[in-house]
Amino acid sequence: SGAPSPLPLFSQVLKLGHKMSKKALIQEAAKDFVSFVNKSPSPFHVVQECRVRLEAAGFQELKEKDRWNVKPNGRYFVINNFSTIVAFAVGGKYKPGNGYSIVGAHTDSPCFRVKPCSCRTSVGYIGVGVEPYGGGIWHTWFDRDLKLAGRVILKQGGLVHRLVHIEEPILNIPNLCIHLDRDMHYKFAPNKETHMIPVLATTLQQQLEEAAEEAPQDSPACNHHPLLISLLTKQLGCSPADIMDFELCLADTQPARIGGALEEFIFAPRIDNLMNCYTGLQGMIKSMDSLEGDSNVRVLALFDNEEVGSKSVQGADSSTLEFYLKRICAGVPGADSSVAFEESIPKSIVLSADQAHAVHPNYPEKHEKNHQPQLHQGVVMKFNSNQKYATTAITASILREVARRCGQPLQEVLVRNDSSCGSTIGPLISSKLGVRTVDIGTPQLSMHSIRETCCTTGVYQATTLYKQFYESFPEIDASFKAM
């Protein structure tokens, strides 16, 4: 294939400092990422986990409906829809019109979501009607022990937003046995409406058990089987009549974990894109010691709905980020220029951080010969002349200088000319704001499977890169000269 062996480069990565201490740091970062994933089975839980970590690091929550008063050296975050979170830290030397150093990622992943009216029964089975969200590898969801997680809106005086996470394996999508479909080995194409209904229980066992409390006839909970509603009310400590609505995601009960003979892999759900939510967050928090000397605003923007096009109020293709950035600029003392925001954009950059496809050991021909990202060998820069990715020679050079300063390797990827190319939030934000952007991500296998694979090294590499980016971008940008 022409690709270098990963082993020598991996050895070089481990030698970038004290051998044992660097390996320990890599494992420590990987274990914390695994914990982050296991606490984040839905976009709502991702945002909640980010909120907990930000508050522990001294960040203050701002409300969208309130007036913002932000100050140099201040640390803040704002939440939209409980599924998008934007954190920012104002440099000690910041003045309105200075730039923004932005890392952007997304909180959502492909999954099945419970339908608004989910009651389904068939030949003695109680099912739950679900809708595919995003472009998942749906065959990987069969015969898995599935749980539910998301949010429920309750009517308790006013409307109350509650998170729910039913960790027990309450659902399963059973395969058809091979004896009833001999062509399954050659063509497995289940109908997503009729063949992928998760089983919750049997009607016979339900009749033998104590009946679940019925919801009032005019209650929205009547749109769902009482057994499903009872699972929610038990965890939330409420009655069926309290439930106004909910958004529930199916998820695998098998937790994320470190594996491989050398403990170098992370096997987990939702690596795309919890990897960059976590590493962007950690990079931001770890960079706070240098905030006082920064002239920029450091921003971490984690959006929902990237997997379905980002066209929502909480998505990257909305005006939400633009409004937030303008409010930051206008909320700092001394903000008296009507064009300060417009002046800040040419001094800014976005690292659009979304996972990259590592070259596959069984399908190496799927990658362009000279662009085959490997595990352990660094964050990947994404290129596409047709603007599926927003990377340019200038933005790539800025990132290369960031990587040089922190001693982290980089890789490049470009899809084959005979292959389709995905996209990210990068081109959306770049075109909407007119801001320079570089598309990047750490390499992984099995993207959009119910269970994905990446390497432990990638967590440390990305965190280190993002920390260095926040600390050094203003200086690097100021040094740029046009001839």
Side-chain angles (χ1 to χ4, degrees):
S1 66
S5 168
L7 292 178
L9 282 180
F10 181 41
S11 298
Q12 292 173 24
V13 170
L14 294 182
K15 291 177 181 177
L16 286 175
H18 301 291
K19 294 181 182 178
M20 295 308 296
S21 61
K22 183 57 64 71
K23 186 172 183 179
L25 288 172
I26 289 172
Q27 287 295 311
E28 180 184 8
K31 290 177 182 178
D32 193 46
F33 171 62
V34 165
S35 175
F36 181 88
V37 172
N38 289 334
K39 294 176 182 177
S40 305
S42 78
F44 313 109
H45 288 83
V46 176
V47 168
Q48 176 60 20
E49 181 62 15
C50 290
R51 167 192 259 154
V52 168
R53 290 172 179 252
L54 286 166
E55 288 179 340
F59 283 72
Q60 171 190 346
E61 182 173 2
L62 302 176
K63 302 295 186 181
E64 287 185 303
K65 296 179 180 180
D66 296 341
R67 181 179 295 275
W68 294 1
N69 293 306
V70 299
K71 300 177 182 179
N73 292 310
R75 310 175 188 185
Y76 311 93
F77 67 91
V78 59
I79 291 173
N80 182 296
N81 188 51
F82 298 95
S83 61
T84 286
I85 184 168
V86 176
F88 61 95
V90 184
K93 296 182 178 180
Y94 174 78
K95 295 180 180 179
N98 288 3
Y100 300 97
S101 307
I102 306 171
V103 174
H106 64 88
T107 61
D108 61 320
S109 301
C111 66
F112 286 99
R113 297 195 172 190
V114 177
K115 291 182 175 180
C117 301
S118 70
C119 285
R120 301 293 293 263
T121 58
S122 176
V123 294
Y125 293 95
I126 299 170
V128 177
V130 294
E131 178 183 21
Y133 175 87
I137 305 178
W138 301 123
H139 69 80
T140 64
W141 286 73
F142 280 82
D143 300 325
R144 304 293 298 190
D145 302 336
L146 302 175
K147 60 183 179 180
L148 281 175
R151 66 173 172 186
V152 180
I153 309 300
L154 302 178
K155 178 67 172 177
Q156 293 179 331
L159 297 179
V160 180
H161 183 278
R162 295 281 301 277
L163 296 185
V164 64
H165 184 187
I166 301 172
E167 300 187 50
E168 293 77 17
I170 59 172
L171 296 166
N172 179 277
I173 304 174
N175 253 309
L176 180 66
C177 65
I178 188 66
H179 312 86
L180 299 180
D181 187 2
R182 293 291 185 181
D183 294 332
M184 187 183 297
H185 287 310
Y186 309 104
K187 182 182 179 182
F188 183 65
N191 184 295
K192 287 182 282 189
E193 176 64 25
T194 58
H195 297 158
M196 303 197 73
I197 301 171
V199 172
L200 182 66
T202 62
T203 55
L204 177 60
Q205 187 65 32
Q206 184 207 11
Q207 293 167 8
L208 297 174
E209 300 283 340
E210 181 179 348
E213 181 182 355
E214 296 280 349
Q217 288 297 318
D218 60 348
S219 169
C222 287
N223 294 329
H224 308 278
H225 197 280
L227 187 55
L228 175 62
I229 295 299
S230 70
L231 293 169
L232 299 177
T233 57
K234 181 180 179 180
Q235 183 166 119
L236 295 171
C238 66
S239 70
D242 293 332
I243 295 178
M244 298 296 290
D245 212 333
F246 54 66
E247 294 177 55
L248 298 176
C249 305
L250 275 64
D252 193 358
T253 58
Q254 185 176 359
R257 63 177 303 171
I258 295 171
L262 302 177
E263 295 190 324
E264 61 181 303
F265 301 124
I266 297 174
F267 305 129
R270 303 178 297 281
I271 292 175
D272 173 23
N273 193 27
L274 295 191
M275 170 67 83
N276 292 293
C277 291
Y278 172 82
T279 53
L281 179 67
Q282 291 299 105
M284 164 78 87
I285 292 172
K286 289 178 180 292
S287 76
M288 287 299 97
D289 287 345
S290 62
L291 183 64
E292 187 171 355
D294 197 350
S295 58
N296 272 17
V297 178
R298 301 176 183 180
V299 181
L300 175 69
L302 307 180
F303 296 100
D304 194 5
N305 298 139
E306 188 275 343
E307 296 292 356
V308 292
S310 298
K311 292 186 179 297
S312 65
V313 65
Q314 61 272 8
D317 199 28
S318 70
S319 298
T320 297
L321 181 61
E322 178 184 351
F323 292 161
Y324 289 173
L325 298 181
K326 285 182 176 179
R327 293 183 70 176
I328 294 168
C329 188
V332 174
D336 55 1
S337 172
S338 61
V339 294
F341 173 72
E342 287 78 4
E343 292 172 351
S344 71
I345 293 301
K347 305 168 189 173
S348 305
I349 194 171
V350 175
L351 269 56
S352 169
D354 203 351
Q355 288 297 90
H357 299 291
V359 64
H360 197 294
N362 300 332
Y363 303 90
E365 71 279 1
K366 294 295 184 179
H367 273 71
E368 203 277 340
K369 184 177 181 180
N370 294 320
H371 300 85
Q372 300 189 338
Q374 301 271 348
L375 300 183
H376 298 303
Q377 294 190 20
V379 169
V380 180
M381 291 192 294
K382 306 175 183 181
F383 294 85
N384 184 266
S385 296
N386 296 299
Q387 300 304 299
K388 295 293 185 179
Y389 302 127
T391 308
T392 68
I394 291 175
T395 60
S397 297
I398 290 172
L399 190 68
R400 292 184 199 278
E401 176 59 17
V402 172
R404 184 194 67 79
R405 293 189 179 199
C406 61
Q408 294 303 315
L410 292 175
Q411 306 181 76
E412 299 84 20
V413 72
L414 180 142
V415 300
R416 290 169 54 102
N417 293 337
D418 56 1
S419 177
S420 60
C421 180
S423 192
T424 69
I425 64 173
L428 300 178
I429 296 176
S430 180
S431 60
K432 183 172 287 290
L433 291 180
V435 64
R436 294 170 294 176
T437 302
V438 54
D439 272 295
I440 60 175
T442 61
Q444 73 165 83
L445 299 169
S446 306
M447 189 179 293
H448 288 196
S449 172
I450 196 172
R451 200 156 181 84
E452 302 171 326
T453 300
C454 66
C455 63
T456 54
T457 320
V459 183
Y460 176 82
Q461 290 171 333
T463 301
T464 303
L465 185 71
Y466 299 151
K467 175 180 181 291
Q468 186 67 51
F469 162 71
Y470 282 127
E471 293 178 336
S472 62
F473 166 67
E475 180 185 345
I476 294 171
D477 192 46
S479 71
F480 186 84
K481 296 181 176 64
M483 303 298 291

